[in-house]
């Protein structure tokens, strides 16, 4: 069975601070995908990144960066120089590498960025 | 890019009535769609997997007679909450997978149901 653990529930930072959101996953599959989604107060899910299990390269996209470590089964997300608009709930998710596999979500981390 | 659209985005109904939520893939064909439910300040919980032309696969604990799912075409799946009760009030989100299994899912905007 797959499982995603986001141990942090709420994080509050001051604007311009860096913040790291942790994600630890469990799966028995060798092929799987990891995702991060942002859910602003409006409710829609905004796709941030997808990483397959064979690609351990870290990725940077603007102020966002992701650190994928298979050895620790972690896929952490860092926001540098945080902004108020980053305030949202962030979900880490996992899916197996099969055709109709479902997405398993973590419980989400509520990030509040104060001006 | 690919877009998944849900309708209605919000609905209020009386207890005992049925409500239908539509999920459409606008510019791609989706053989598989997923329906999630999210209670306030909680995570998304998968309710069922909807496959075009066949019966939906429901997760444990989800009543298939209460949450009717129909995936009649490659671009449309519907979720009908039958005889809705206040405890069914929730945020329902659908997602669609491209025909070629890439692992990438696209999410609808969500539908907020309030049952009075």
């Amino acid at each position: 069975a797959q499982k995603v653990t986001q141990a942090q529930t709420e994080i509050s930072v001051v604007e311009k601070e860096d913040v790291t959101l942790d994600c630890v996953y469990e799966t028995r599959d060798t092929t799987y995908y990891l995702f991060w989604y942002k859910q602003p107060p409006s409710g829609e899910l905004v796709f941030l990144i997808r990483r397959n299990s064979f690609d351990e390269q870290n990725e940077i996209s603007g102020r966002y960066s992701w650190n994928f470590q298979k050895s620790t089964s972690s896929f952490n997300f860092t926001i540098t120089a945080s902004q108020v608009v980053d305030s949202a709930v962030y979900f880490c998710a996992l899916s197996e590498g099969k055709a109709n596999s479902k997405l398993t979500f973590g419980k989400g981390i509520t990030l509040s960025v104060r001006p | 890019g690919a877009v998944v659209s849900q309708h209605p985005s919000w609905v209020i109904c009386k207890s005992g009535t049925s409500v239908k939520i539509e999920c459409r893939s606008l510019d791609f064909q989706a053989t598989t769609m997923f329906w999630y439910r999210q209670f306030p300040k909680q995570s998304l919980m998968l309710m069922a997997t909807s496959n075009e032309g066949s019966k939906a696969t429901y997760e444990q604990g989800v009543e298939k007679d209460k949450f009717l799912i129909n995936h009649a075409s490659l671009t449309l799946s519907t979720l009908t909450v039958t005889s809705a009760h206040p405890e069914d009030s929730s945020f329902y989100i659908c997602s669609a997978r491209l025909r070629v299994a890439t692992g990438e899912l696209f999410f609808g905007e969500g539908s907020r149901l309030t049952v009075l």
Side-chain angles (χ1 to χ4, degrees):
Chain A
Q2 0 179 62
K3 184 179 178 182
V4 177
T5 301
Q6 295 181 262
Q8 305 150 309
T9 53
E10 295 185 14
I11 299 176
S12 181
V13 299
V14 177
E15 207 169 17
K16 297 184 183 178
E17 284 185 17
D18 298 348
V19 58
T20 296
L21 311 180
D22 298 332
C23 174
V24 175
Y25 63 92
E26 294 177 31
T27 179
R28 293 177 182 174
D29 293 308
T30 55
T31 302
Y32 52 89
Y33 296 89
L34 294 163
F35 302 78
W36 275 95
Y37 287 90
K38 173 182 180 179
Q39 188 178 41
S42 53
E44 80 277 14
L45 282 174
V46 178
F47 169 82
L48 296 178
I49 190 171
R50 177 182 66 131
R51 177 52 53 86
N52 74 56
S53 52
F54 298 108
D55 183 4
E56 283 194 75
Q57 282 192 346
N58 292 330
E59 181 155 342
I60 298 175
S61 176
R63 295 185 297 108
Y64 296 167
S65 63
W66 290 268
N67 185 341
F68 179 27
Q69 298 276 350
K70 285 182 77 171
S71 60
T72 56
S73 297
S74 65
F75 187 44
N76 296 338
F77 172 32
T78 297
I79 302 174
T80 58
S82 60
Q83 300 176 1
V84 174
V85 294
D86 295 328
S87 297
V89 181
Y90 290 86
F91 291 99
C92 179
L94 165 72
S95 80
E96 297 169 348
K98 301 187 185 76
N100 290 333
S101 57
K102 58 189 179 183
L103 207 59
T104 299
F105 285 85
K107 292 188 175 182
I109 302 170
T110 300
L111 174 64
S112 299
V113 182
R114 310 187 305 277
Chain B
V3 177
V4 174
S5 178
Q6 273 184 250
H7 177 82
S9 54
W10 58 271
V11 57
I12 301 173
C13 69
K14 293 182 179 180
S15 186
T17 60
S18 295
V19 174
K20 180 185 285 188
I21 300 171
E22 293 185 346
C23 177
R24 293 181 185 273
S25 56
L26 297 183
D27 56 359
F28 67 98
Q29 294 179 322
T31 53
T32 303
M33 290 185 175
F34 301 89
W35 286 95
Y36 289 85
R37 180 176 185 176
Q38 185 182 30
F39 289 109
K41 297 190 177 182
Q42 293 192 25
S43 187
L44 285 79
M45 300 301 296
L46 180 67
M47 298 175 65
T49 302
S50 170
N51 296 299
E52 186 265 336
S54 63
K55 291 183 178 179
T57 304
Y58 290 82
E59 295 298 301
Q60 192 174 8
V62 178
E63 298 176 60
K64 61 180 181 180
D65 294 330
K66 181 166 185 64
F67 298 99
L68 300 179
I69 291 173
N70 185 289
H71 194 153
S73 77
L74 286 170
T75 59
L76 174 65
S77 176
T78 59
L79 167 67
T80 301
V81 183
T82 61
S83 187
H85 291 283
E87 57 266 29
D88 298 325
S89 298
S90 188
F91 193 56
Y92 294 88
I93 307 176
C94 74
S95 67
R97 188 185 297 279
L98 283 171
R99 195 169 195 174
V100 176
T102 63
E104 188 165 5
L105 287 171
F106 299 94
F107 284 84
E109 312 96 321
S111 300
R112 192 166 302 280
L113 170 63
T114 301
V115 185
L116 303 176

